[in-house]
Amino acid sequence: MAQTTPNHTQTVSGWAVLDSSGKAVPHTFKRRENGVDDVTIEIMYCGICHTDLHFARNDWGITMYPVVPGHEITGIITKVGSNVNKFRLGDRVGVGCLAASCLECDFCKSSRENYCDQIQLTYNGIFWDGSITYGGYSKFMVADHRYVVRIPENLPMDATAPLLCAGITVFSPFKDSNLVDSPGKKVGVVGLGGLGHLAVKFGKAFGHHVTVISTSPFKEKEARERLGADDFIVSTNARELQAARRTLDFIVDTVSAKHSLGPILELLTVNGTLAVVCAPDQPMELPAFPLIFGKRSVRGSMTGSTSETQEMLDVCSKHNITCDIELVKTDNINEAWDRLARNDVRYRFVIDIAGKSSNL
């Protein structure tokens, strides 16, 4: 493992966290030369994910400083390797969470490389050449084309950036449960944040009856009027929970705070499915009785493959789905992180990396 190799000859400016103080500062570092399988991307926008905050503060004990966060990246291709056929100079593209995988296992060969045992992340990962990966809080990046997606022309680059993590994270369980092309189900969304608001948008676009489940009664108006949710349940209200027992076919849980899955499971009908896409820092409570007496299933899901991410973007293009964002300047990254830690964002921060606030 090394920060760079002799092939890392390109100097790039960005924003990094140098230690566990968790503060982003301007930082100059090296990226590899554009290889035969690579594309170089001038970064326009990068979404801020809560994962960035965890890595910045070393909450999981695995951060390799200096860390350059960012895995919700949109930009323009400026170089194309000789083996790359699907992209050209000037293409609008995106990079999500994945930087590399083994390419040889059954998961990689079946377009499920996000579950490869050797998956490496866009930042704080170890690339094939042994170097540490650096993310999208920077002016440009070099990416293997097999982990790059095309941004449809009708989607704005800024509001599309968070789809590359938050969007695919909630789209994947919808697809796995055959909810993309089979309308008419009753879908629940636990939590109305960055992931949750996109889950509501997907559910409505796919023709389902959508119920938001939240601890915050004040979010009901926004859920119904702004996002089009059909129903709203306050999860701390026993009467509302009782009234909604066995009414939902599918629930996606997006809440990263510790909580019990028991009351949520009771909302599912027999054979219903709860998809967990959140990552609380403490174990979840999973009572047995709501699980076995309703023949219910609990399944996990993480991001998606490159092909699945492209499919998601094409679906978003068809239904005109983007993320509700607040654009921030690079000077305000730390302020945005502090607000994110307080859940003070509706619904996702995006950094204007290029500083152009373009209409791309």
Side-chain angles (χ1 to χ4, degrees):
M1 180 184 69
Q3 289 187 16
T4 61
T5 72
N7 192 43
H8 284 66
T9 60
Q10 300 192 90
T11 300
V12 55
S13 58
W15 295 265
V17 178
L18 306 182
D19 53 47
S20 58
S21 66
K23 297 298 182 183
V25 297
H27 183 64
T28 301
F29 59 100
K30 299 286 188 179
R31 288 203 187 274
R32 70 181 185 272
E33 285 293 322
N34 197 87
V36 295
D37 292 313
D38 293 332
V39 293
T40 296
I41 302 167
E42 178 189 0
I43 298 173
M44 307 300 292
Y45 300 99
C46 186
I48 295 178
C49 177
H50 211 286
T51 299
D52 300 346
L53 203 55
H54 288 305
F55 274 112
R57 298 175 178 178
N58 198 22
D59 290 339
W60 297 327
I62 57 174
T63 301
M64 296 178 285
Y65 294 109
V67 61
V68 179
H71 58 208
E72 299 178 346
I73 303 158
T74 58
I76 304 296
I77 288 184
T78 59
K79 294 180 185 178
V80 179
S82 59
N83 288 347
V84 180
N85 298 314
K86 66 177 181 177
F87 296 115
R88 299 188 179 189
L89 294 178
D91 281 353
R92 295 156 32 103
V93 296
V95 175
C97 301
L98 310 182
S101 60
C102 80
L103 303 178
E104 298 294 334
C105 69
D106 290 342
F107 297 106
C108 286
K109 290 181 177 180
S110 59
S111 295
R112 294 178 293 163
E113 70 274 6
N114 52 309
Y115 293 106
C116 172
D117 277 345
Q118 299 179 43
I119 194 70
Q120 295 298 332
L121 303 179
T122 300
Y123 69 88
N124 205 71
I126 307 297
F127 196 62
W128 290 314
D129 61 8
S131 65
I132 297 173
T133 57
Y134 296 121
Y137 289 26
S138 57
K139 290 295 186 178
F140 73 85
M141 73 180 306
V142 180
D144 187 289
H145 74 280
R146 287 165 286 201
Y147 307 93
V148 178
V149 292
R150 186 181 304 278
I151 307 296
E153 289 296 327
N154 67 317
L155 294 181
M157 297 278 269
D158 53 0
T160 296
L163 296 178
L164 298 167
C165 175
I168 185 59
T169 296
V170 292
F171 176 84
S172 185
F174 272 92
K175 181 185 176 185
D176 288 343
S177 294
N178 298 313
L179 294 170
V180 176
D181 298 310
S182 302
K185 298 295 185 180
K186 291 191 174 181
V187 171
V189 177
V190 183
L192 194 62
L195 275 67
H197 92 287
L198 286 171
V200 174
K201 290 186 178 187
F202 282 132
K204 293 303 297 179
F206 301 156
H208 303 299
H209 181 284
V210 177
T211 298
V212 171
I213 304 154
S214 173
T215 59
S216 307
F218 68 88
K219 290 186 178 181
E220 179 171 5
K221 181 177 181 181
E222 186 159 4
R224 291 182 182 273
E225 297 180 6
R226 180 174 176 177
L227 299 173
D230 300 286
D231 282 313
F232 190 93
I233 297 171
V234 178
S235 57
T236 55
N237 187 313
R239 180 183 56 81
E240 292 186 18
L241 290 173
Q242 179 64 27
R245 285 183 74 252
R246 294 195 170 195
T247 61
L248 303 178
D249 301 298
F250 171 84
I251 298 174
V252 57
D253 187 351
T254 71
V255 174
S256 290
K258 181 184 178 182
H259 58 288
S260 174
L261 299 183
I264 299 171
L265 285 169
E266 294 283 12
L267 301 175
L268 287 169
T269 187
V270 174
N271 279 323
T273 298
L274 169 62
V276 176
V277 299
C278 49
D281 57 7
Q282 299 179 53
M284 289 178 161
E285 297 177 11
L286 180 58
F289 285 172
L291 195 64
I292 61 178
F293 279 96
K295 200 179 181 181
R296 300 169 177 116
S297 300
V298 178
R299 64 189 304 175
S301 183
M302 61 162 284
T303 61
S305 67
T306 305
S307 62
E308 192 174 40
T309 302
Q310 187 65 65
E311 178 186 355
M312 180 268 306
L313 288 173
D314 294 339
V315 168
C316 288
S317 174
K318 175 182 176 181
H319 294 286
N320 196 30
I321 295 173
T322 57
C323 189
D324 292 4
I325 67 167
E326 181 177 335
L327 203 61
V328 298
K329 297 179 180 180
T330 54
D331 291 342
N332 302 121
I333 291 173
N334 290 306
E335 177 186 344
W337 281 357
D338 289 342
R339 287 181 53 194
L340 176 60
R342 303 193 304 267
N343 294 318
D344 179 23
V345 56
R346 292 290 180 272
Y347 282 96
R348 207 78 166 184
F349 286 118
V350 173
I351 307 168
D352 183 5
I353 297 290
K356 300 174 183 178
S357 295
S358 71
N359 294 318
L360 291 171

PDB file of all heavy atoms in Angstrom, residues 272-298:
ATOM      1  N   GLY A 272     -44.343 -10.085   3.404  1.00  0.00           N
ATOM      2  CA  GLY A 272     -43.769  -8.787   3.066  1.00  0.00           C
ATOM      3  C   GLY A 272     -42.260  -8.763   3.274  1.00  0.00           C
ATOM      4  O   GLY A 272     -41.685  -9.609   3.965  1.00  0.00           O
ATOM      5  N   THR A 273     -41.622  -7.766   2.666  1.00  0.00           N
ATOM      6  CA  THR A 273     -40.167  -7.656   2.707  1.00  0.00           C
ATOM      7  C   THR A 273     -39.735  -6.305   3.263  1.00  0.00           C
ATOM      8  O   THR A 273     -40.255  -5.259   2.857  1.00  0.00           O
ATOM      9  CB  THR A 273     -39.565  -7.818   1.296  1.00  0.00           C
ATOM     10  OG1 THR A 273     -39.877  -9.122   0.796  1.00  0.00           O
ATOM     11  CG2 THR A 273     -38.051  -7.633   1.317  1.00  0.00           C
ATOM     12  N   LEU A 274     -38.781  -6.355   4.192  1.00  0.00           N
ATOM     13  CA  LEU A 274     -38.134  -5.156   4.703  1.00  0.00           C
ATOM     14  C   LEU A 274     -36.713  -5.127   4.165  1.00  0.00           C
ATOM     15  O   LEU A 274     -35.923  -6.033   4.428  1.00  0.00           O
ATOM     16  CB  LEU A 274     -38.115  -5.155   6.235  1.00  0.00           C
ATOM     17  CG  LEU A 274     -37.250  -4.088   6.915  1.00  0.00           C
ATOM     18  CD1 LEU A 274     -37.727  -2.680   6.565  1.00  0.00           C
ATOM     19  CD2 LEU A 274     -37.238  -4.287   8.430  1.00  0.00           C
ATOM     20  N   ALA A 275     -36.387  -4.080   3.384  1.00  0.00           N
ATOM     21  CA  ALA A 275     -35.035  -3.911   2.848  1.00  0.00           C
ATOM     22  C   ALA A 275     -34.293  -2.885   3.687  1.00  0.00           C
ATOM     23  O   ALA A 275     -34.739  -1.747   3.825  1.00  0.00           O
ATOM     24  CB  ALA A 275     -35.097  -3.471   1.395  1.00  0.00           C
ATOM     25  N   VAL A 276     -33.172  -3.291   4.253  1.00  0.00           N
ATOM     26  CA  VAL A 276     -32.374  -2.421   5.111  1.00  0.00           C
ATOM     27  C   VAL A 276     -31.190  -1.882   4.307  1.00  0.00           C
ATOM     28  O   VAL A 276     -30.346  -2.649   3.843  1.00  0.00           O
ATOM     29  CB  VAL A 276     -31.862  -3.179   6.353  1.00  0.00           C
ATOM     30  CG1 VAL A 276     -30.951  -2.303   7.185  1.00  0.00           C
ATOM     31  CG2 VAL A 276     -33.037  -3.685   7.185  1.00  0.00           C
ATOM     32  N   VAL A 277     -31.145  -0.565   4.124  1.00  0.00           N
ATOM     33  CA  VAL A 277     -30.039   0.056   3.389  1.00  0.00           C
ATOM     34  C   VAL A 277     -29.245   1.011   4.280  1.00  0.00           C
ATOM     35  O   VAL A 277     -28.327   1.679   3.820  1.00  0.00           O
ATOM     36  CB  VAL A 277     -30.554   0.810   2.138  1.00  0.00           C
ATOM     37  CG1 VAL A 277     -31.249  -0.140   1.185  1.00  0.00           C
ATOM     38  CG2 VAL A 277     -31.487   1.958   2.527  1.00  0.00           C
ATOM     39  N   CYS A 278     -29.610   1.064   5.554  1.00  0.00           N
ATOM     40  CA  CYS A 278     -28.953   1.969   6.495  1.00  0.00           C
ATOM     41  C   CYS A 278     -27.858   1.218   7.245  1.00  0.00           C
ATOM     42  O   CYS A 278     -27.785  -0.004   7.210  1.00  0.00           O
ATOM     43  CB  CYS A 278     -29.977   2.523   7.475  1.00  0.00           C
ATOM     44  SG  CYS A 278     -31.041   1.252   8.212  1.00  0.00           S
ATOM     45  N   ALA A 279     -26.999   1.977   7.928  1.00  0.00           N
ATOM     46  CA  ALA A 279     -25.878   1.359   8.642  1.00  0.00           C
ATOM     47  C   ALA A 279     -25.702   1.999  10.013  1.00  0.00           C
ATOM     48  O   ALA A 279     -24.761   2.772  10.233  1.00  0.00           O
ATOM     49  CB  ALA A 279     -24.601   1.487   7.827  1.00  0.00           C
ATOM     50  N   PRO A 280     -26.601   1.695  10.954  1.00  0.00           N
ATOM     51  CA  PRO A 280     -26.417   2.208  12.315  1.00  0.00           C
ATOM     52  C   PRO A 280     -25.100   1.731  12.911  1.00  0.00           C
ATOM     53  O   PRO A 280     -24.613   0.638  12.564  1.00  0.00           O
ATOM     54  CB  PRO A 280     -27.609   1.612  13.075  1.00  0.00           C
ATOM     55  CG  PRO A 280     -28.624   1.305  12.025  1.00  0.00           C
ATOM     56  CD  PRO A 280     -27.836   0.903  10.818  1.00  0.00           C
ATOM     57  N   ASP A 281     -24.532   2.526  13.809  1.00  0.00           N
ATOM     58  CA  ASP A 281     -23.249   2.138  14.399  1.00  0.00           C
ATOM     59  C   ASP A 281     -23.410   1.173  15.564  1.00  0.00           C
ATOM     60  O   ASP A 281     -22.426   0.761  16.185  1.00  0.00           O
ATOM     61  CB  ASP A 281     -22.454   3.371  14.833  1.00  0.00           C
ATOM     62  CG  ASP A 281     -23.217   4.246  15.814  1.00  0.00           C
ATOM     63  OD1 ASP A 281     -24.305   3.831  16.267  1.00  0.00           O
ATOM     64  OD2 ASP A 281     -22.731   5.348  16.126  1.00  0.00           O
ATOM     65  N   GLN A 282     -24.664   0.799  15.878  1.00  0.00           N
ATOM     66  CA  GLN A 282     -24.937  -0.215  16.886  1.00  0.00           C
ATOM     67  C   GLN A 282     -25.877  -1.255  16.292  1.00  0.00           C
ATOM     68  O   GLN A 282     -26.633  -0.960  15.368  1.00  0.00           O
ATOM     69  CB  GLN A 282     -25.579   0.410  18.123  1.00  0.00           C
ATOM     70  CG  GLN A 282     -24.719   1.458  18.807  1.00  0.00           C
ATOM     71  CD  GLN A 282     -25.419   2.058  20.009  1.00  0.00           C
ATOM     72  OE1 GLN A 282     -25.875   1.344  20.898  1.00  0.00           O
ATOM     73  NE2 GLN A 282     -25.510   3.382  20.049  1.00  0.00           N
ATOM     74  N   PRO A 283     -25.863  -2.488  16.803  1.00  0.00           N
ATOM     75  CA  PRO A 283     -26.726  -3.534  16.248  1.00  0.00           C
ATOM     76  C   PRO A 283     -28.206  -3.172  16.321  1.00  0.00           C
ATOM     77  O   PRO A 283     -28.664  -2.563  17.286  1.00  0.00           O
ATOM     78  CB  PRO A 283     -26.419  -4.753  17.132  1.00  0.00           C
ATOM     79  CG  PRO A 283     -25.065  -4.484  17.678  1.00  0.00           C
ATOM     80  CD  PRO A 283     -24.982  -3.004  17.858  1.00  0.00           C
ATOM     81  N   MET A 284     -28.938  -3.564  15.279  1.00  0.00           N
ATOM     82  CA  MET A 284     -30.383  -3.362  15.256  1.00  0.00           C
ATOM     83  C   MET A 284     -31.076  -4.429  16.094  1.00  0.00           C
ATOM     84  O   MET A 284     -30.601  -5.562  16.200  1.00  0.00           O
ATOM     85  CB  MET A 284     -30.908  -3.432  13.819  1.00  0.00           C
ATOM     86  CG  MET A 284     -30.541  -2.263  12.942  1.00  0.00           C
ATOM     87  SD  MET A 284     -31.181  -2.523  11.273  1.00  0.00           S
ATOM     88  CE  MET A 284     -31.157  -0.866  10.649  1.00  0.00           C
ATOM     89  N   GLU A 285     -32.225  -4.076  16.651  1.00  0.00           N
ATOM     90  CA  GLU A 285     -33.049  -5.052  17.361  1.00  0.00           C
ATOM     91  C   GLU A 285     -33.964  -5.738  16.354  1.00  0.00           C
ATOM     92  O   GLU A 285     -34.669  -5.071  15.592  1.00  0.00           O
ATOM     93  CB  GLU A 285     -33.880  -4.348  18.433  1.00  0.00           C
ATOM     94  CG  GLU A 285     -33.048  -3.694  19.520  1.00  0.00           C
ATOM     95  CD  GLU A 285     -33.924  -2.938  20.515  1.00  0.00           C
ATOM     96  OE1 GLU A 285     -35.161  -3.115  20.465  1.00  0.00           O
ATOM     97  OE2 GLU A 285     -33.373  -2.166  21.319  1.00  0.00           O
ATOM     98  N   LEU A 286     -33.944  -7.072  16.353  1.00  0.00           N
ATOM     99  CA  LEU A 286     -34.766  -7.838  15.425  1.00  0.00           C
ATOM    100  C   LEU A 286     -35.547  -8.887  16.205  1.00  0.00           C
ATOM    101  O   LEU A 286     -35.121 -10.040  16.335  1.00  0.00           O
ATOM    102  CB  LEU A 286     -33.894  -8.499  14.356  1.00  0.00           C
ATOM    103  CG  LEU A 286     -34.606  -9.347  13.300  1.00  0.00           C
ATOM    104  CD1 LEU A 286     -35.639  -8.513  12.541  1.00  0.00           C
ATOM    105  CD2 LEU A 286     -33.603  -9.963  12.343  1.00  0.00           C
ATOM    106  N   PRO A 287     -36.716  -8.520  16.740  1.00  0.00           N
ATOM    107  CA  PRO A 287     -37.536  -9.486  17.486  1.00  0.00           C
ATOM    108  C   PRO A 287     -38.000 -10.628  16.586  1.00  0.00           C
ATOM    109  O   PRO A 287     -38.305 -10.420  15.405  1.00  0.00           O
ATOM    110  CB  PRO A 287     -38.723  -8.638  17.961  1.00  0.00           C
ATOM    111  CG  PRO A 287     -38.275  -7.213  17.837  1.00  0.00           C
ATOM    112  CD  PRO A 287     -37.329  -7.186  16.691  1.00  0.00           C
ATOM    113  N   ALA A 288     -38.088 -11.812  17.155  1.00  0.00           N
ATOM    114  CA  ALA A 288     -38.427 -12.990  16.356  1.00  0.00           C
ATOM    115  C   ALA A 288     -39.905 -13.058  15.987  1.00  0.00           C
ATOM    116  O   ALA A 288     -40.255 -13.420  14.854  1.00  0.00           O
ATOM    117  CB  ALA A 288     -38.021 -14.258  17.106  1.00  0.00           C
ATOM    118  N   PHE A 289     -40.789 -12.711  16.907  1.00  0.00           N
ATOM    119  CA  PHE A 289     -42.211 -12.931  16.659  1.00  0.00           C
ATOM    120  C   PHE A 289     -42.768 -12.169  15.453  1.00  0.00           C
ATOM    121  O   PHE A 289     -43.501 -12.753  14.642  1.00  0.00           O
ATOM    122  CB  PHE A 289     -43.029 -12.623  17.921  1.00  0.00           C
ATOM    123  CG  PHE A 289     -42.922 -13.677  18.987  1.00  0.00           C
ATOM    124  CD1 PHE A 289     -43.460 -13.475  20.243  1.00  0.00           C
ATOM    125  CD2 PHE A 289     -42.281 -14.884  18.727  1.00  0.00           C
ATOM    126  CE1 PHE A 289     -43.375 -14.467  21.229  1.00  0.00           C
ATOM    127  CE2 PHE A 289     -42.181 -15.873  19.696  1.00  0.00           C
ATOM    128  CZ  PHE A 289     -42.726 -15.662  20.950  1.00  0.00           C
ATOM    129  N   PRO A 290     -42.483 -10.866  15.290  1.00  0.00           N
ATOM    130  CA  PRO A 290     -42.991 -10.188  14.087  1.00  0.00           C
ATOM    131  C   PRO A 290     -42.453 -10.812  12.803  1.00  0.00           C
ATOM    132  O   PRO A 290     -43.108 -10.739  11.758  1.00  0.00           O
ATOM    133  CB  PRO A 290     -42.494  -8.744  14.254  1.00  0.00           C
ATOM    134  CG  PRO A 290     -42.216  -8.590  15.700  1.00  0.00           C
ATOM    135  CD  PRO A 290     -41.746  -9.938  16.163  1.00  0.00           C
ATOM    136  N   LEU A 291     -41.285 -11.418  12.896  1.00  0.00           N
ATOM    137  CA  LEU A 291     -40.677 -12.031  11.716  1.00  0.00           C
ATOM    138  C   LEU A 291     -41.365 -13.343  11.359  1.00  0.00           C
ATOM    139  O   LEU A 291     -41.814 -13.543  10.226  1.00  0.00           O
ATOM    140  CB  LEU A 291     -39.195 -12.274  12.003  1.00  0.00           C
ATOM    141  CG  LEU A 291     -38.261 -12.574  10.844  1.00  0.00           C
ATOM    142  CD1 LEU A 291     -38.163 -11.402   9.887  1.00  0.00           C
ATOM    143  CD2 LEU A 291     -36.883 -12.953  11.376  1.00  0.00           C
ATOM    144  N   ILE A 292     -41.510 -14.230  12.356  1.00  0.00           N
ATOM    145  CA  ILE A 292     -41.996 -15.572  12.043  1.00  0.00           C
ATOM    146  C   ILE A 292     -43.513 -15.642  11.911  1.00  0.00           C
ATOM    147  O   ILE A 292     -44.040 -16.412  11.105  1.00  0.00           O
ATOM    148  CB  ILE A 292     -41.500 -16.589  13.083  1.00  0.00           C
ATOM    149  CG1 ILE A 292     -42.004 -16.266  14.480  1.00  0.00           C
ATOM    150  CG2 ILE A 292     -39.986 -16.652  13.074  1.00  0.00           C
ATOM    151  CD1 ILE A 292     -41.563 -17.276  15.539  1.00  0.00           C
ATOM    152  N   PHE A 293     -44.254 -14.813  12.666  1.00  0.00           N
ATOM    153  CA  PHE A 293     -45.711 -14.881  12.592  1.00  0.00           C
ATOM    154  C   PHE A 293     -46.271 -14.209  11.343  1.00  0.00           C
ATOM    155  O   PHE A 293     -47.443 -14.393  11.004  1.00  0.00           O
ATOM    156  CB  PHE A 293     -46.348 -14.281  13.845  1.00  0.00           C
ATOM    157  CG  PHE A 293     -46.368 -15.225  15.012  1.00  0.00           C
ATOM    158  CD1 PHE A 293     -45.378 -15.170  15.977  1.00  0.00           C
ATOM    159  CD2 PHE A 293     -47.346 -16.198  15.120  1.00  0.00           C
ATOM    160  CE1 PHE A 293     -45.380 -16.063  17.048  1.00  0.00           C
ATOM    161  CE2 PHE A 293     -47.357 -17.092  16.183  1.00  0.00           C
ATOM    162  CZ  PHE A 293     -46.365 -17.024  17.156  1.00  0.00           C
ATOM    163  N   GLY A 294     -45.432 -13.450  10.652  1.00  0.00           N
ATOM    164  CA  GLY A 294     -45.881 -12.843   9.402  1.00  0.00           C
ATOM    165  C   GLY A 294     -45.170 -13.381   8.180  1.00  0.00           C
ATOM    166  O   GLY A 294     -45.376 -12.881   7.072  1.00  0.00           O
ATOM    167  N   LYS A 295     -44.333 -14.407   8.392  1.00  0.00           N
ATOM    168  CA  LYS A 295     -43.554 -14.985   7.287  1.00  0.00           C
ATOM    169  C   LYS A 295     -42.850 -13.872   6.505  1.00  0.00           C
ATOM    170  O   LYS A 295     -42.803 -13.863   5.281  1.00  0.00           O
ATOM    171  CB  LYS A 295     -44.452 -15.801   6.353  1.00  0.00           C
ATOM    172  CG  LYS A 295     -43.689 -16.808   5.490  1.00  0.00           C
ATOM    173  CD  LYS A 295     -44.636 -17.598   4.614  1.00  0.00           C
ATOM    174  CE  LYS A 295     -43.866 -18.619   3.788  1.00  0.00           C
ATOM    175  NZ  LYS A 295     -44.766 -19.396   2.889  1.00  0.00           N
ATOM    176  N   ARG A 296     -42.280 -12.932   7.261  1.00  0.00           N
ATOM    177  CA  ARG A 296     -41.686 -11.749   6.649  1.00  0.00           C
ATOM    178  C   ARG A 296     -40.185 -11.955   6.430  1.00  0.00           C
ATOM    179  O   ARG A 296     -39.547 -12.759   7.110  1.00  0.00           O
ATOM    180  CB  ARG A 296     -41.936 -10.527   7.537  1.00  0.00           C
ATOM    181  CG  ARG A 296     -43.422 -10.244   7.747  1.00  0.00           C
ATOM    182  CD  ARG A 296     -43.640  -9.202   8.830  1.00  0.00           C
ATOM    183  NE  ARG A 296     -45.061  -8.877   8.977  1.00  0.00           N
ATOM    184  CZ  ARG A 296     -45.788  -9.107  10.050  1.00  0.00           C
ATOM    185  NH1 ARG A 296     -45.233  -9.678  11.120  1.00  0.00           N
ATOM    186  NH2 ARG A 296     -47.067  -8.774  10.099  1.00  0.00           N
ATOM    187  N   SER A 297     -39.651 -11.196   5.525  1.00  0.00           N
ATOM    188  CA  SER A 297     -38.230 -11.283   5.198  1.00  0.00           C
ATOM    189  C   SER A 297     -37.545  -9.951   5.466  1.00  0.00           C
ATOM    190  O   SER A 297     -38.110  -8.889   5.196  1.00  0.00           O
ATOM    191  CB  SER A 297     -38.032 -11.648   3.719  1.00  0.00           C
ATOM    192  OG  SER A 297     -38.626 -12.888   3.412  1.00  0.00           O
ATOM    193  N   VAL A 298     -36.332 -10.031   5.986  1.00  0.00           N
ATOM    194  CA  VAL A 298     -35.474  -8.852   6.139  1.00  0.00           C
ATOM    195  C   VAL A 298     -34.237  -9.088   5.290  1.00  0.00           C
ATOM    196  O   VAL A 298     -33.571 -10.118   5.413  1.00  0.00           O
ATOM    197  CB  VAL A 298     -35.050  -8.629   7.605  1.00  0.00           C
ATOM    198  CG1 VAL A 298     -34.129  -7.415   7.715  1.00  0.00           C
ATOM    199  CG2 VAL A 298     -36.272  -8.449   8.496  1.00  0.00           C
TER     200      VAL A 298
END
